[in-house]
Amino acid sequence: MAQRGRKTNLKRLAQVAELEELRGRSRPENPHLAARGTKKLVPSRSRPDKPWLFTGKKRSTRGERNIQWVEEYLRVPDGKFAGDPLKLPDYMKEDFRAIYDNPAGTRRAIISRGRKNAKTTEAAMLVLLHLCGPEGYAAPHAQLYSAAQSRDQAALIFNLAAKMLRLDRALFDAVTIRETNKVLQCPFLENIYRALSAEATTAFGLSPSLIIHDELGQVRGPRSPLYEALETATAAQANPLSVIISTQAPADSDLLSVLIDPRRCCDFLAPVPSTRTRSRKRRSPLPIRRSRSS
């Protein structure tokens, strides 16, 4: 028994030492970055230690500032170039400009692309941007949610966001990661993110300001209880944002197809005729008899 307790203590000490080593680094050691001879990232006016105070270059629009924030703080979470700074492709930059530089404001954005085009990674970028970035600083005390049809799918965005946080010291110190219930929290801004799935029953009683609908094309039929519960919960927010990132729906009667082009699916949304054969006739009100005054 004593030997077993000793192994447990050694394991805990190793975990604590690893965490302290991670916190003491300005950036994680990466063979790709070390070979390129990049300099250490230190807090400066252009890159403050508090990521939500990032302002970007002068005369930058809101979308361009968010693009600069992503490329300054976030890193590739996995794959061959894990740990390298993120460089957004042109199509992702167009998505950011379309969402944040819309003169009329954006209430709902639909991003539909094929598989293996970094859709989940882009969703994790948006979550961190509103959690501990300049968007979160502009609207603090926010509730952020990502919705998926299964628990495993809902955990994908959380896992990618958590990896990005661990790869940057400023983000890692600013956000609390809770692996058990899939929650990310920024204590300074009091913003909180949570991953939800259609299997859970906690979609009611929320007040989200940002919703990421991941793989909404998997919904069969024109309705989804989880989607309706989250979208109707945004009524208390002044400027809510819903982002749908998914592949194409297989049928025109599915929810994603209905949202993209409701005119093609009007037959599926038509009200079902009543099965009653008898119709009650409306009775005319009884005549009012007025007594003559004497």
Side-chain angles (χ1 to χ4, degrees), residues 84-255:
D84 289 1
L86 271 170
K87 296 297 181 183
L88 296 182
D90 293 336
Y91 63 87
M92 283 191 183
K93 293 182 179 179
E94 293 177 1
D95 295 340
F96 275 70
R97 294 190 185 100
I99 294 174
Y100 296 105
D101 289 342
N102 186 2
T106 303
R107 173 62 183 85
R108 178 193 298 156
I110 301 177
I111 302 174
S112 181
R113 289 196 297 265
R115 297 180 69 251
K116 297 303 177 182
N117 278 284
K119 297 187 302 297
T120 308
T121 305
E122 186 174 0
M125 298 177 197
L126 295 174
V127 168
L128 295 180
L129 185 63
H130 287 259
L131 179 68
C132 57
E135 292 295 329
Y137 183 72
H141 312 281
Q143 299 180 19
L144 319 175
Y145 297 96
S146 65
Q149 299 306 306
S150 63
R151 295 181 183 271
D152 296 336
Q153 185 68 33
L156 293 179
I157 296 179
F158 171 84
N159 294 335
L160 289 178
K163 289 180 181 179
M164 292 180 183
L165 292 173
R166 293 188 178 99
L167 290 174
D168 188 272
R169 183 180 179 182
L171 298 180
F172 184 75
D173 293 341
V175 178
T176 303
I177 303 174
R178 300 178 185 175
E179 294 280 355
T180 54
N181 50 1
K182 300 294 184 290
V183 171
L184 302 175
Q185 186 175 7
C186 182
F188 183 84
L189 301 177
E190 296 186 4
N191 295 335
I192 186 170
Y193 158 76
R194 181 174 298 171
L196 300 177
S197 66
E199 302 171 1
T201 59
T202 58
F204 294 95
L206 309 177
S207 182
S209 60
L210 173 69
I211 308 173
I212 305 292
H213 297 281
D214 190 20
E215 294 299 339
L216 195 65
Q218 297 179 0
V219 176
R220 298 295 179 263
R223 301 188 63 179
S224 169
L226 178 62
Y227 176 83
E228 294 176 358
L230 290 176
E231 290 298 320
T232 54
T234 60
Q237 299 295 329
N239 297 307
L241 175 62
S242 299
V243 181
I244 301 172
I245 300 182
S246 175
T247 55
Q248 186 177 1
D252 292 342
S253 60
D254 294 337
L255 178 60

